[in-house]
Amino acid sequence: MTKGSAIDRLPAHVLAAYYGDARLNILACLNDVRVKTGLKPVAGEANNLSALASLKLTNCADEVRRKRMQLLRQRFPFLNPMTDPKREQPPQAPRKPHPKDPPKRWRAYEKKLREYQDEALQDQKAQQRASDLHEVSPAEIEERLRWMLQLVHHLRNALVHPNEPPATISAEVHKHLFRNLGWVYDAALRTVGTRFGLDPALNELLQRLATPPLGQQAQHDGRGGKQGRNAHKPGGKDKAKPKARPKPIETFSLAICLDPFARDDDTPSEATAVVHDFGLVLLCALFLEKGQSAELIRDFWEIGHGCAWPDPRHQAIVKELIAVYRARMPMQRLRSDESAPAITLDTLSELSRCPRVLFDALAPGDRRRFRIGNTPAEPAPDADGEADAGLTTDDPEASYLMTRRGDRFIPLTMRLIDLDPASRIRFAVNLGRYFFNVRWKSGSHFVDGRGRVRQLGRRMLGYGRLREFLDAAKPPLWAQLEANRAENTEAVEAAEQRGAAATPPLKPFIVPAEPHYHYHHDKIGICLAKSGDRAAYPDIPAIGAENTKRCHAPVAEMVPEFWLGPAQLLHLAFYLDLLRDGHARVSPDALLRRCQAGLLRLLRELSQDPPLVQGDPTTPDWRAAAQPGQRPRQRSPGPDLALAALSGPLRRPTAGHVPPAAHARPVHRLPRHPAQVRAVPAQAAAGPPRGRA
């Protein structure tokens, strides 16, 4: 990179558009954390700071605090390098000499390489120990997010509104910006260097810090620490080695901001005068999606910074660098079109994927056939679409692995059956979880003296078409129970602030869920709807601790009438297709009712069998009587157990329950024909007859 002339700053309207998107993304991430921890979402991106403060990371229960901190670090990954207990630069590998260099230099290289390997191993162990022992404080997480969100808010307002006064930052925020964004940049550069396998020369070119020569003494290093007093003396022994300082903007266009430790005053400064263009880009890119950050860095190159980095490979590395620790947006649930062509396309897409078990057994060369996009063996395209042979990527977002993540054929078949207007088959739909018994357990039962919430709940199921379960169709009681969850969370937090003796008022609540099919891997519950019936939310069985046993009992609306296997579901879909084409005449619900009636009649007949005798099937006489046409039959299970296996959920036997015939000897039936009765051995027919002849 060469020193360039004066470069224009990024236009205000360009930065304003991206900083506006950054505020919206921040609100989406914070609302996702709030909803998952029992709080109500906040409306308006101008309330980002209040949404963060209302999380109360320092004044909530330990379980809630750990959950919220975990979600915040997942949504904002840049908090990890900012709060990492060990941020020192890892040991650098020695540069490999030229093949024509003398053996002395090669021996020195091998010695340094062994030292580097040992130092890297010790550094890895130290980092693991530090990570195990270090626990990030909630105040540290909240403090870093607060000043970052506040700075983004002020920059956006100053860039959008011409009459707004320019955004200013204090000396303290300037130091936070310099340190934290510098740590994020260094960590991202190490990640990109490992991912792309950067050579030491390019890695050194992208470093934001440079070690000054021994003859140039500096008062402060890049992180505010003073250097040794003998650093300026050539050959003198230092008490501290000269530390790296940030590169100036005149020679390094990727500089983040001015060095705050080189300033003499602590007065607030204008943000655009202190923060360089790349610092504004990096701060905004931490809250943007990868596509948006790529567009922003492209504008950064177009204003003139690209002249200092003419190599497209360097620009591609910087584009990946600013997106390593970006915010992870909550996944938006996609809704497919409810039509037969859309379901057919989804099914064909699933068929084109490789099963995971088969993919794990394939060779590496065959696995690349199922990866769409850039692979480690393929060059990554540059901004013009041309491939650069020196840059490859294994970023999961740059390529897509065509493997199956679970069996989607069962829900796809259910959706196809639901589209049939004449079908009366209804599948179970999961609508959420209902916690009917919620109580507060005081802190006297725990060692730490802090109370906990104890709750009992069950899954709520409804039978109907998936598209019929709408929010507008929820009963008023159902909507009220969903709102009780946020009220309980606020009551518990208020009680913890008052003291350990406080008891918060808790109410039953429902954790809502996106309606989706509920089934097991080996059986699918169905019900037959009457003509004209529409899907309805199930009734709330009971409310309160006194009705706990009743709530645990199966609700009639949630118990399926029949169980189908995955293979039978496929047969049912084919039969419905034949019925629509006129090749079949009997509806599937009539077939199921007929099958149920036939099985009931069969079970009644089996319960009225001829008299039974006891015998040993291993004796020669018994084997002679068990020839074809004379083979005795064994007693079948009773009609109640068979009906339960056919048309209802199987229930576990109670404790101590033993089936009646569990310890009895095997019994066998006598043949019905009189001639066959005379052929039975005498010792078997000597006993008194039982029942009818």
Side-chain angles (χ1 to χ4, degrees), residues 429 431-436 458-463 469 473-479 481 510 534-543 550-559:
V429 178
L431 303 173
R433 195 166 186 85
Y434 170 48
F435 291 92
F436 48 84
R458 62 170 304 152
R459 186 180 293 108
M460 302 298 289
L461 302 178
Y463 288 87
F469 290 97
K474 291 182 179 179
L477 179 59
W478 192 286
L481 289 173
I510 287 180
R534 291 184 59 84
Y537 282 81
D539 296 334
I540 303 300
I543 295 179
R550 181 183 170 190
C551 290
H552 273 300
V555 183
E557 298 176 279
M558 303 184 190
V559 178

Side-chain angles (χ1 to χ4, degrees), residues 71 195 262 311 315 550 616 655 672:
L71 292 174
R195 180 182 300 171
D311 192 351
Q315 298 184 10
R550 181 183 170 190
D616 187 4
R672 296 192 178 191

Side-chain angles (χ1 to χ4, degrees), residues 40 51 111 322 624 652:
K40 297 179 181 179
K111 180 180 178 181
I322 65 175
R652 296 181 180 178

Side-chain angles (χ1 to χ4, degrees), residues 138-210:
E140 190 176 2
I141 294 285
E142 188 174 1
E143 185 265 341
R144 279 167 171 77
L145 276 177
R146 184 176 62 252
W147 69 260
M148 292 186 72
L149 301 188
Q150 188 174 6
L151 183 58
V152 169
H153 178 73
H154 291 336
L155 285 173
R156 182 261 176 192
N157 289 342
L159 293 169
V160 170
H161 305 292
N163 299 329
E164 189 80 11
T168 59
I169 58 175
S170 61
E172 183 181 1
V173 175
H174 187 190
K175 294 178 182 179
H176 289 328
L177 187 70
F178 177 76
R179 287 172 173 169
N180 291 275
L181 289 189
W183 292 334
V184 173
Y185 181 91
D186 296 339
L189 182 58
R190 291 194 295 267
T191 303
V192 172
T194 304
R195 180 182 300 171
F196 294 142
L198 303 182
D199 54 346
L202 181 57
N203 193 13
E204 184 178 357
L205 183 64
L206 292 171
Q207 291 288 342
R208 68 179 183 91
L209 302 177

Side-chain angles (χ1 to χ4, degrees), residues 610-613 630 632-633 668-673 676-677 680 684-685:
L612 305 176
V613 296
Q630 302 180 3
R633 296 177 300 172
H668 306 281
R669 294 181 176 83
L670 287 174
R672 296 192 178 191
H673 198 272
Q676 297 177 1
V677 175
V680 176

Side-chain angles (χ1 to χ4, degrees), residues 507-584:
K507 305 176 184 179
F509 64 94
I510 287 180
V511 179
E514 187 72 18
H516 58 278
Y517 292 115
H518 176 76
Y519 59 92
H520 304 276
H521 69 281
D522 57 344
K523 58 182 180 179
I524 304 164
I526 64 173
C527 285
L528 299 181
K530 300 178 181 179
S531 58
D533 286 353
R534 291 184 59 84
Y537 282 81
D539 296 334
I540 303 300
I543 295 179
E546 65 277 2
N547 298 319
T548 299
K549 293 184 179 180
R550 181 183 170 190
C551 290
H552 273 300
V555 183
E557 298 176 279
M558 303 184 190
V559 178
E561 297 184 46
F562 301 92
W563 291 103
L564 294 179
Q568 296 172 334
L569 181 68
L570 183 62
H571 300 163
L572 181 61
F574 276 108
Y575 186 83
L576 288 174
D577 188 69
L578 293 175
L579 188 64
R580 285 192 298 268
D581 294 341
H583 300 289

